């Protein structure tokens, strides 16, 4: 069975641009969460969606938004990119609330 | 405010010996704890978890211990193998209805190196 898949794997953007990251959960998983991981730190929670509804939001600015589609896939959108947004963005899915299973992430570089 | 802390940035052990990775937390609302392993260029892989109603959970070579009074958990790997070399993260989640329910709060990670 396929795990959590994320696209693209790598992305290079410039400051001020907008980016959309995509995630497909494990088949049957209805909960999708997004995390940001910067070098040397653990992942930081951004959003959680369950059955297309936002169930939680971390301490991130309004430039970050997300949505979940009827097939439970999800998109993370970031507007007005800053240099500090350079990070690994991880998507995780779960059957219930835990455990969450992660994809390999999208490496976002801002120039 | 770092609610989950892994105070050892790195750990080096010999193949066949025990690896002990430690984690401390401050939020008393956490009631479910997980360990993840991460290789470079891959996402975190779930290893083992423990609910706050238990003090020990075992899965093969991996055992997690929880000391609620000390707000401390540890992961024991016995025997350690070179393939266990990776970054290990502990993570915590809160009770249903609380603000930390459903989301994971991670420690900074510990780099484990197992030498042949």
């Amino acid at each position: 069975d396929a795990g959590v898949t994320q696209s693209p794997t790598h992305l290079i953007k410039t400051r001020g641009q907008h980016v959309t990251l995509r995630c497909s959960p494990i088949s049957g998983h209805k909960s999708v969460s997004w995390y940001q991981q910067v070098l040397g730190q653990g992942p930081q929670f951004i959003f959680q969606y369950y059955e297309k509804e936002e169930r939680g939001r971390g301490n991130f600015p309004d430039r970050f938004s997300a949505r979940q589609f009827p097939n439970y896939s999800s998109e993370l959108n970031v507007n007005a990119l800053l240099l500090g947004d350079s990070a690994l963005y991880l998507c995780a899915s779960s059957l219930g609330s835990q455990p969450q299973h992660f994809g390999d992430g999208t490496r976002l570089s801002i120039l | 405010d770092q609610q989950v802390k892994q105070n050892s940035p790195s750990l080096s052990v010999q193949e066949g010996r025990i690896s002990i990775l430690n984690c401390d937390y401050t939020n008393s609302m956490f009631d479910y704890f997980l360990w993840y392993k991460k290789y470079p260029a891959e996402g975190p892989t779930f290893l083992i978890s423990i609910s706050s109603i238990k003090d020990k959970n075992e899965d093969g070579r991996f055992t997690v211990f929880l000391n609620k009074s000390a707000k401390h958990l540890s992961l024991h790997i016995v025997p350690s193998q070179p393939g266990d070399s990776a970054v290990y993260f502990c993570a915590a989640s809160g009770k249903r209805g609380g603000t930390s329910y459903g989301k994971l709060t991670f420690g900074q990670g510990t780099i484990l190196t197992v030498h042949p």
Side-chain angles (χ1 to χ4, degrees):
Chain A
D1 286 343
V4 177
T5 57
Q6 293 187 242
S7 63
T9 53
H10 294 86
L11 202 51
I12 299 175
K13 291 284 189 179
T14 57
R15 283 178 293 175
Q17 284 189 313
H18 162 271
V19 69
T20 297
L21 310 181
R22 295 177 175 83
C23 172
S24 293
I26 293 171
S27 178
H29 286 192
K30 298 181 179 180
S31 177
V32 169
S33 298
W34 288 94
Y35 294 81
Q36 180 196 66
Q37 186 180 17
V38 298
L39 200 62
Q41 296 183 21
Q44 297 287 316
F45 173 75
I46 310 175
F47 286 109
Q48 184 189 46
Y49 277 79
Y50 181 78
E51 289 279 16
K52 295 167 285 181
E53 288 189 5
E54 183 182 305
R55 289 296 182 91
R57 183 183 183 119
N59 189 24
F60 281 81
D62 291 344
R63 299 185 296 108
F64 289 76
S65 63
R67 55 180 176 169
Q68 187 178 31
F69 298 99
N71 66 353
Y72 303 112
S73 67
S74 178
E75 284 181 354
L76 175 70
N77 295 283
V78 188
N79 292 324
L81 288 166
L82 303 174
L83 292 177
D85 296 331
S86 295
L88 178 67
Y89 288 85
L90 294 162
C91 175
S93 75
S94 58
L95 199 56
S97 64
Q98 305 296 346
Q100 296 182 18
H101 299 274
F102 286 82
D104 288 338
T106 294
R107 174 69 63 186
L108 176 63
S109 298
I110 310 302
L111 302 179
Chain B
D1 178 25
Q2 191 74 26
Q3 297 186 60
V4 178
K5 293 183 181 180
Q6 294 175 254
N7 292 317
S8 298
S10 63
L11 175 68
S12 182
V13 300
Q14 207 68 29
E15 181 179 6
R17 305 295 292 269
I18 184 171
S19 294
I20 300 176
L21 298 113
N22 294 301
C23 180
D24 298 296
Y25 62 96
T26 57
N27 189 340
S28 58
M29 295 302 289
F30 288 148
D31 73 340
Y32 191 78
F33 304 89
L34 308 88
W35 284 94
Y36 286 86
K37 176 173 72 173
K38 188 179 186 301
Y39 294 120
E42 294 184 11
T45 300
F46 169 69
L47 274 176
I48 192 169
S49 62
I50 188 166
S51 165
S52 60
I53 62 173
K54 295 186 175 181
D55 55 18
K56 177 183 174 182
N57 189 27
E58 193 171 352
D59 183 2
R61 297 186 298 115
F62 301 92
T63 302
V64 56
F65 295 91
L66 176 62
N67 182 334
K68 290 186 290 294
S69 60
K71 291 189 175 66
H72 176 84
L73 65 154
S74 60
L75 175 67
H76 293 209
I77 306 174
V78 182
S80 301
Q81 300 172 353
D84 295 330
S85 297
V87 180
Y88 287 77
F89 291 98
C90 69
S93 182
K95 300 173 183 175
R96 182 184 290 271
T99 57
S100 54
Y101 177 72
K103 73 176 190 182
L104 292 173
T105 301
F106 283 84
Q108 308 95 307
T110 296
I111 301 170
L112 173 65
T113 304
V114 180
H115 299 282

